[in-house]
Structures are given as structure tokens and as C-alpha cells.
Amino acid sequence: ELKYTPNIFAKNLRSDRSNQVALVGDTLQAELYGELSSQLFEKGYFTSLFYSRKEDAFIDRLIAGRFDAIFMASNAFDVSQLNRISENGIPLVFYRSRDYTGLDPRIVIRAPDFYDGVKRILNYLILKGHRRIAYIPPLLYRATGADGNDFRAKAYSDTLKDNGIDINPDFFCVHTQSVASILEDVFVMVTSYKANERPTAFVASDDHIAAQVLQYIKKLNLRVPEDVAIVGWGNIASSQITTPELTTIDSEITFFAHEVSEALIRLIQGEEVEDCLYKGRLIIRGST
């Protein structure tokens, strides 16, 4: 009758729960974080989105934030930093994309099967006759080249070797600090080689980057897919508004967000949760 609204933060002090979940990433994955936030909100949790910062002070602030759980979609941190979150009693669901030795067993892995997805893309492109295939990691990703410990880099190298194709280190983008630096690498790949030596296909880590590369390739007066094929990852809305539409891996974002949110809540409730990788589906469209 008095239109009283309970103070959520005061109630949380009593229950020793914050009802807050932190989402940490290197870049904004709007579709994934939007789905996660919606699903967690329906179950009584607020979310806070953070861009990753590599220093220990960032981890200290996360720990001090009294979050009930954390979803980490970043490769910026080392094992000791990740383990410190778990050692402080905060459940952590990790979107793992590279090898880590010595991870705390309490950290739960929820991620796409990057190795399987990239291998599937490359085998499809090789079947189409492509042998000079370039790869572009995610924006702001700590990329070390085709011989790195990232699952996508391993799939790239292994699949080319399995098909008897020499690996050209120049065809693996390592300057991921901005979209401009990625496109500069694309420019170098395309213009530094003769027409019969330059890449005939680009595999991008996500549809946003793939769309940027597609538009840039067309500005260089090359045709997609006649001169250059392009593949993305995610099957987000932008994959269907490019011309031509993007071939991509459908990572089923709504389903994946459900799996992550369920894992976070079960961990908060003290349940044991198993690791899981999710295979995507290759969707073939006009860009290849």
C-alpha cells in the first residue's frame, strides 16, 4: 500500500549473496552477452560486463566485487590469475580457447569446440580447391601465429599439414589490436604476392570481422567469392546482411547462453558441473 520497494543490496548483505554475475571479455560479443544477461535476469541475477585488463589489479577488483560467479571469455589471463579467482571461492565458467596447464579443477569449461569448427571450415575450403588460406583471430586476441597454442591455430596448422599444404606464416594475422590493424594485415597479404600466390580464402574468428574483411576485399577490387572466399563464425545477424551472405559456423548462441547460465547457477548453488565443448554447424552461403 505504501509502494515500498525492498532494498536488494541490503537483503544481499543478510544472505551473503550479491545476486550479481560478472561477464568478462576481450571484446563486446553483443549477441552472447545479451542472451546471457536476459537468461540470468529471469533467474534473479543481475550482470555486469567488463572488458578484460591483463594486470593483477583487474583480478583483485573482480574478487573484491563480491560476485556470485564469473563468466570469463578472455585469453588475456594466465593460469595463476584464473586460479586465484577460484581459490577465493568464486565459481568461474571459462570460455577456453587455448591450452592451459594447471587450471584449478573447480574451473568449469563451457566453450565452442574451436578445433573441430576450424578444421571443418578448412576441409570444406580445401574441398572447394583452396590451398592458400589465411586466418584472422579475434579482435584484441593474444595471437602468436600459426604455431601458437590457440585451438584455432592448431586446427589451422594441423588441417593444412594433413592435406599436404605448406603453412605460410604471413597468412596468419597477428596484429589484432584494432580493426584497422587487422585490415592492414589483409592488405599486406593481398598486395605482397602475385595473383597466383596470394590467399584465395580468409577464415575469420567471428562474423563481425568477416564482414569487415569482406567489405575491405571488395574495396581492393577483388570479387567475393570469385577471387576470394570468406568464412566467419557465429551465425549472428550481420552474417546475413552482407553481400554476398557469409558462410559461417552456427554456434547456436541462444542454446549456448542457456548452457552457460545453467552452469553458473548450479555452481552458485554448490553443485558439481562438468566441462563441455559444443560443436557448431557449418552454414554454406554465398561468400564461398
Side-chain angles (χ1 to χ4, degrees), residues 106-146:
R106 291 171 291 186
I107 296 175
V108 173
I109 309 301
R110 280 283 191 280
D113 190 335
F114 291 113
Y115 187 93
D116 176 80
V118 171
K119 185 174 182 178
R120 193 179 308 181
I121 290 169
L122 263 70
N123 279 328
Y124 163 68
L125 290 172
I126 292 168
L127 183 66
K128 295 277 288 183
H130 296 279
R131 297 184 68 82
R132 300 188 302 276
I133 303 171
Y135 185 77
I136 302 172
L139 183 66
L140 299 177
Y141 201 77
R142 186 166 58 184
T144 56

Side-chain angles (χ1 to χ4, degrees), residues 16 19 30 52-53 72 154 161 185 193 217 226 249 288:
D16 199 31
N19 287 96
S52 59
R53 299 172 64 90
M72 179 72 72
K154 286 188 173 185
K161 289 176 183 176
D185 271 9
Y193 291 88
I217 287 292
E226 292 85 356
I249 290 283
T288 55

